């Protein structure tokens, strides 16, 4: 039952929206600290390779599935399975993706909340002259206060759902048209600042000296997993965005632009962060606290640090916000296309459900810290690991298999519309490289290969 379906106004707004989905906490919060804890340049190299050989082809796959289906992920997979004359059970893949998005949002929103609270901290001068001990306790205190976390988590959910409720054109499209250019403008300011005030040389050396001896299996695994997370692959966000895309747009070309923007932004932010960190003699391997504990110390001791810190956390917030909306859109599209419930009502209901799950994430940083779900992981860690190391790669693997081995080859070619050589590259990557790489990660994870 498809009534009127929305569509992006043009190729450009699709690119902004998909780049908006891709560029998020994954680039600015996770990637830099992962580079730090995984030994710097070796990790960067594997990450770039993962983007090129697995990320880009699979993003093309996900867009082509969405655009061909012209439906939400669940009905879309059902439609494509019927077209390929294979089991309708493939729709479960769409359903799994929708669920994955909601699980990610429940903790994404809590971290987004930290970022919002840091905008205010930065603007009010909390970091001015701050020393390491103070900065650590500032961050620890935030995590230890359920009510403060809850407040900001609620604000973040409200902002996210507010955009989604307005629909594709006046919500998603409009928000991304403002947020993404603003984000790049702030990035330029930040880069200029860290070039003049920071230690770019050391940062560059740290990230790009390509020391092969530092490549470990764990670094490879987390780099590949992070390529999925960073490009928003494997859960239907890109699929649903692709389903609003016009037929005449080249999937390969737009994908390359989006992936480049995402990767470049992550690496440039990494350079900016590390140049400030090194200029202040701080440690690069602080882990998740890198931008919340280490970076404020750097800002606190630099000229115009208060202004730049405020802009920096605004950049992070914009990036997180435009990603968060893509985590719910697949499910909302499904509700709107299958029921009589309006977009507004369904966003409120779904928003409340995800918010509630988020409350348990909030508590897992304080009151419920000691509650372990599996393998000694608390609620937040379980949701994070379950989604980024298992559900996203699994979703991506199944999408690649479906497009590569179940869909009719000429249907795929109709969507990709590539010349022979390009099509061959895509097929090799989609049918062999990506499935082998992802399966290797799974085998390793489940301890079959040590
Ligand atoms: N790509 C986003 C980021 O880097 C996270 C995300 C994952 C968004 C999956 C949508 C889907 O932060």
């Amino acid at each position: 039952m498809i009534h009127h379906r929305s569509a992006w106004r043009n190729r450009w707004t699709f690119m902004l929206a998909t780049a908006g989905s891709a560029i998020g906490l994954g680039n600015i919060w996770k990637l830099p600290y992962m580079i730090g804890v995984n030994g710097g340049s070796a990790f960067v190299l594997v990450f770039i390779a993962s983007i090129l050989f697995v990320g880009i082809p699979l993003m093309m796959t996900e867009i082509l599935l969405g655009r061909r289906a012209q439906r939400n992920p669940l009905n879309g997979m059902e439609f494509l399975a019927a077209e390929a004359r294979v089991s309708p059970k493939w729709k479960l893949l769409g359903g799994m993706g929708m669920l994955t998005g909601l699980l990610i949002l429940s903790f994404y929103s809590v971290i987004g909340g930290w970022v919002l609270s840091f905008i205010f901290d930065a603007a009010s001068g909390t970091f001015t002259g701050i020393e390491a001990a103070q900065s650590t306790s500032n961050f620890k205190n935030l995590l230890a206060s359920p009510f403060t976390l809850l407040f900001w988590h609620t604000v973040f959910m409200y902002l996210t759902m507010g955009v989604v409720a307005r629909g594709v054109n006046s919500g998603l499209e409009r928000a991304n048209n403002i947020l993404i250019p603003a984000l790049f403008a702030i990035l330029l300011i930040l880069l200029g600042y860290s070039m003049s005030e920071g230690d770019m040389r050391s940062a560059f050396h740290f990230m790009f000296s390509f020391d092969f001896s530092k490549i470990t299996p764990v670094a490879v695994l987390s780099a590949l997993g992070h390529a999925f997370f960073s490009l928003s692959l494997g859960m239907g966000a890109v699929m649903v965005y692709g389903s609003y895309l016009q037929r005449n747009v080249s999937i390969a070309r737009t994908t390359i632009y989006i992936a480049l923007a995402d990767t470049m932004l992550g690496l440039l932010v990494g350079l900016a962060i590390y140049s400030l960190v090194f200029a202040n003699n701080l440690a690069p391997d602080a882990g998740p606290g890198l931008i919340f504990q280490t970076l404020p110390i750097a800002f606190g001791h630099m000229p115009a640090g208060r202004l730049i810190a405020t802009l920096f956390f605004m950049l992070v917030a914009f990036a997180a916000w435009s990603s968060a909306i893509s985590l719910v859109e697949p499910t909302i599209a499904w509700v709107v296309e299958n029921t009589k419930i309006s977009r507004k009502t369904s966003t409120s209901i779904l928003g409340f459900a995800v918010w509630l799950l988020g409350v348990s994430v909030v508590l897992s940083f304080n009151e419920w810290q000691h509650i372990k779900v599996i393998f000694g992981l608390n609620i937040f860690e379980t949701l994070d690991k379950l989604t980024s190391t298992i559900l996203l790669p699994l979703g991506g693997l199944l999408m690649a298999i479906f497009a590569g081995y179940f869909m009719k080859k000429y249907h795929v070619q109709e969507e990709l519309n590539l010349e022979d050589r390009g099509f061959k590259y895509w097929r090799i990557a989609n049918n062999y490289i990506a499935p082998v790489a992802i399966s290797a990660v799974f085998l390793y994870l489940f301890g079959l290969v040590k």
Side-chain angles (χ1 to χ4, degrees), residues 9-10 66 106 114 118 124 132 180 221 226 256 292 325 340 342 397 440:
R9 238 175 306 137
N10 51 45
S106 72
W114 300 357
F118 266 68
S124 60
I180 305 307
L221 294 186
H226 191 62
I256 290 173
F292 296 108
I325 55 187
K340 291 211 169 63
S342 73
L397 174 66

Side-chain angles (χ1 to χ4, degrees), residues 21-27 104 108 226 228-233 235 237 262 323-324 326-327 392:
S21 166
I23 296 169
L25 293 172
N27 306 62
I104 297 180
Y108 208 82
H226 191 62
F228 275 90
F229 189 82
S230 188
L231 290 178
S232 305
L233 297 178
M235 51 70 60
D262 182 63
S323 297
S326 75
L327 288 164
L392 293 182

Side-chain angles (χ1 to χ4, degrees), residues 422-441:
F423 189 64
K424 214 167 96 194
Y425 284 153
W426 171 81
R427 248 178 101 78
I428 294 174
N430 181 83
N431 292 17
Y432 305 104
I433 303 179
V436 168
I438 301 168
S439 311
V441 169

Side-chain angles (χ1 to χ4, degrees), residues 349-393:
I349 299 173
L350 201 68
F352 180 72
V354 176
W355 176 84
L356 210 58
L357 185 59
V359 174
S360 72
V361 175
V362 161
L363 293 173
S364 75
F365 286 104
N366 34 68
E367 311 297 329
W368 292 358
Q369 205 170 33
H370 304 293
I371 300 184
K372 305 291 181 214
V373 189
I374 34 166
F375 303 127
L377 302 173
N378 67 25
I379 299 174
F380 162 68
E381 292 160 342
T382 307
L383 286 167
D384 179 22
K385 291 277 174 313
L386 176 71
T387 51
S388 22
T389 42
I390 301 181
L391 293 174
L392 293 182

